[in-house]
């Protein structure tokens, strides 16, 4: 029988129990007194317990009524809390986001600024960051383990889509005392790199930069002599600092201040590395929180482009 109780019955009872007067309770509920009295009687019949003692002048709570009042308040509060949470989740103010990012993402000011602002705007959204190279992000984006991927331009499967965040220039990282430092002011011609060993990304790691840089050198007629390979950006720069070669990197790498490494511009470089925001085409299933972060990233990138 108790399964027939509705929230309105609880609200009716709470009003009567707090006012201890059917007339005042009816006025508070904006209804007439007889229907209110009937609803309370129906509630008592449903739970098979007397909640109120009534006489011509007074209304009082039975022991069962006192207990039921406490429980009714808790139920109403839980329902209201659940409704509030649902509304906040619908607005993207509550929930969680899983983000894939490459090793250079923490050095992209436009991205880190957006993440910091998102944390300030939506403190109740849990952000889970997963460092992966570009190609490692593809499968978890397809399965939904990642909501958003921040990666380099690459070939994407049909069920993923991308939005360009920004383009980065390629730069040259050299060690202190390297002969190419004399071109620091005017820039280094890519053709000069045929004379020097390179520290390079490992191809098996799957980083998209490997293919981009190989293509860049090929267009300049350079067949690179690769002295060392590494999978992480900081390792590559450490090998450069150790004098094991030079390396072509993107502009975001230059925010890594490492003793013994200097960054030089390239003069004949018309190729850029693109940074993408990638999502599943059915990304509406990921929730509004991911949409809010996407919109914030894009608006910040636009503001940077406009110089705001």
């Amino acid at each position: 029988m108790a399964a027939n109780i509705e929230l309105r019955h609880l609200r009716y009872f709470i009003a009567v129990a707090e006012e201890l007067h059917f007339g005042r309770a009816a006025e508070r509920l904006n209804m007439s007194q007889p229907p209110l009295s009937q609803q309370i009687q129906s509630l008592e019949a449903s739970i098979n317990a007397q909640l109120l003692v009534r006489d011509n002048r007074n209304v009082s709570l039975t022991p069962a009524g006192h207990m039921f009042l406490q429980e009714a308040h808790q139920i109403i509060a839980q329902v209201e809390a659940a409704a509030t949470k649902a509304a906040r989740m619908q607005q993207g103010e509550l929930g969680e986001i899983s983000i894939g990012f490459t090793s250079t993402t923490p050095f992209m000011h436009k991205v880190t600024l957006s993440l910091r602002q998102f944390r300030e705007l939506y403190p109740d959204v849990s952000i889970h960051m997963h460092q992966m190279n570009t190609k490692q992000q593809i499968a978890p984006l397809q399965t939904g383990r990642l909501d958003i991927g921040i990666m380099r331009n690459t070939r994407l499967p049909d069920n993923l889509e991308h939005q360009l965040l920004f383009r980065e220039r390629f730069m040259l990282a050299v060690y202190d005392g390297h002969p190419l430092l004399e071109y620091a002011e005017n820039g280094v011609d890519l053709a000069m790199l045929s004379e020097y060993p390179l520290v390079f990304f490992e191809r098996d790691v799957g980083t998209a930069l490997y293919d981009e840089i190989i293509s860049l050198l090929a267009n300049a007629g350079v067949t690179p002599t690769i002295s060392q390979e590494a999978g992480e950006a900081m390792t590559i720069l450490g090998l450069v600092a150790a004098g094991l070669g030079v390396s072509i990197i993107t502009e975001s790498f230059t925010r890594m201040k490492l003793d013994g490494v200097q960054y030089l511009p390239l003069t004949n470089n018309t190729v850029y590395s693109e940074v993408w925001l990638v999502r599943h085409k059915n990304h509406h299933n990921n929730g509004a929180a991911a949409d809010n972060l996407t919109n914030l990233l894009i608006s910040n990138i636009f503001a940077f482009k406009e110089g705001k």
Side-chain angles (χ1 to χ4, degrees):
M1 294 291 291
N4 295 325
I5 297 175
E6 300 177 15
L7 287 178
R8 62 188 177 92
H9 295 132
L10 300 182
R11 292 193 173 95
Y12 294 159
F13 171 72
I14 289 171
V16 175
E18 289 180 346
E19 298 291 342
L20 292 178
H21 191 282
F22 275 89
R24 289 194 299 270
E27 185 177 350
R28 170 173 155 181
L29 293 166
N30 196 27
M31 62 188 299
S32 60
Q33 183 174 331
L36 175 59
S37 180
Q38 291 172 3
Q39 291 293 335
I40 297 300
Q41 291 174 4
S42 174
L43 173 63
E44 289 177 319
S46 294
I47 64 176
N48 195 29
Q50 184 179 359
L51 302 176
L52 299 168
V53 176
R54 314 160 180 83
D55 58 34
N56 291 334
R57 295 184 177 181
N58 300 310
V59 176
S60 60
L61 288 168
T62 67
H66 280 290
M67 181 278 297
F68 194 78
L69 178 60
Q70 294 177 355
E71 298 289 338
H73 275 303
Q74 290 180 13
I75 291 169
I76 295 294
Q78 288 174 351
V79 171
E80 291 176 350
T84 299
K85 286 182 179 179
R88 293 186 67 201
M89 186 165 286
Q90 178 71 23
Q91 297 300 319
E93 299 174 0
L94 194 68
E96 57 184 35
I97 309 175
S98 292
I99 303 172
F101 67 100
T102 62
S103 60
T104 54
T105 300
F107 300 96
M108 299 173 184
H109 177 61
K110 304 165 189 177
V111 175
T112 55
L113 173 65
S114 298
L115 288 171
R116 185 168 70 248
Q117 289 179 341
F118 184 85
R119 166 60 65 207
E120 293 169 354
L121 289 170
Y122 306 103
D124 294 326
V125 176
S126 299
I127 301 176
H128 306 287
M129 304 293 293
H130 306 274
Q131 181 177 328
M132 304 175 179
N133 65 49
T134 291
K135 293 179 181 178
Q136 288 171 337
Q137 295 184 42
I138 302 299
L141 281 166
Q142 289 181 289
T143 60
R145 191 165 71 86
L146 290 179
D147 299 314
I148 294 174
I150 298 173
M151 62 175 70
R152 301 283 173 180
N153 46 295
T154 190
R155 186 182 298 276
L156 294 175
D158 291 340
N159 58 354
L160 298 184
E161 61 185 11
H162 79 277
Q163 185 145 7
L164 174 66
L165 292 179
F166 52 90
R167 294 181 174 89
E168 287 193 297
R169 293 182 302 160
F170 285 97
M171 305 281 288
L172 185 67
V174 301
Y175 52 83
D176 283 345
H178 194 281
L180 290 175
L181 284 170
E182 67 175 289
Y183 300 98
E185 187 174 345
N186 297 320
V188 177
D189 190 301
L190 279 167
M192 298 179 183
L193 300 184
S194 59
E195 303 176 25
Y196 301 99
L198 267 70
V199 178
F200 220 58
F201 292 94
E202 294 174 349
R203 185 165 199 169
D204 339 350
V205 171
T207 173
L209 282 175
Y210 181 96
D211 295 330
E212 287 186 326
I213 295 171
I214 286 292
S215 176
L216 180 69
L217 292 170
N219 291 339
V222 176
T223 301
T225 301
I226 300 175
S227 62
Q228 296 288 329
E229 292 183 336
E232 294 292 333
M234 189 59 75
T235 305
I236 288 174
L237 294 179
L239 294 173
V240 170
L244 298 180
V246 301
S247 186
I248 298 177
I249 43 89
T250 57
E251 200 167 3
S252 56
F253 280 66
T254 64
R255 297 190 72 203
M256 303 184 200
K257 304 305 180 185
L258 193 66
D259 288 344
V261 176
Q262 297 192 44
Y263 303 105
L264 307 177
L266 296 168
T267 58
N268 55 340
N269 172 29
T270 58
V271 179
Y272 293 83
S273 178
E274 295 184 348
V275 177
W276 288 356
L277 185 147
V278 178
R279 302 181 69 181
H280 197 284
K281 286 185 177 177
N282 294 328
H283 58 75
H284 56 272
N285 295 330
N286 295 344
D291 291 335
N292 288 343
L293 177 56
T294 298
N295 294 336
L296 182 60
L297 273 164
I298 292 168
S299 64
N300 276 343
I301 298 304
F302 178 79
F304 273 102
K305 288 178 181 177
E306 296 295 311
K308 297 177 183 176

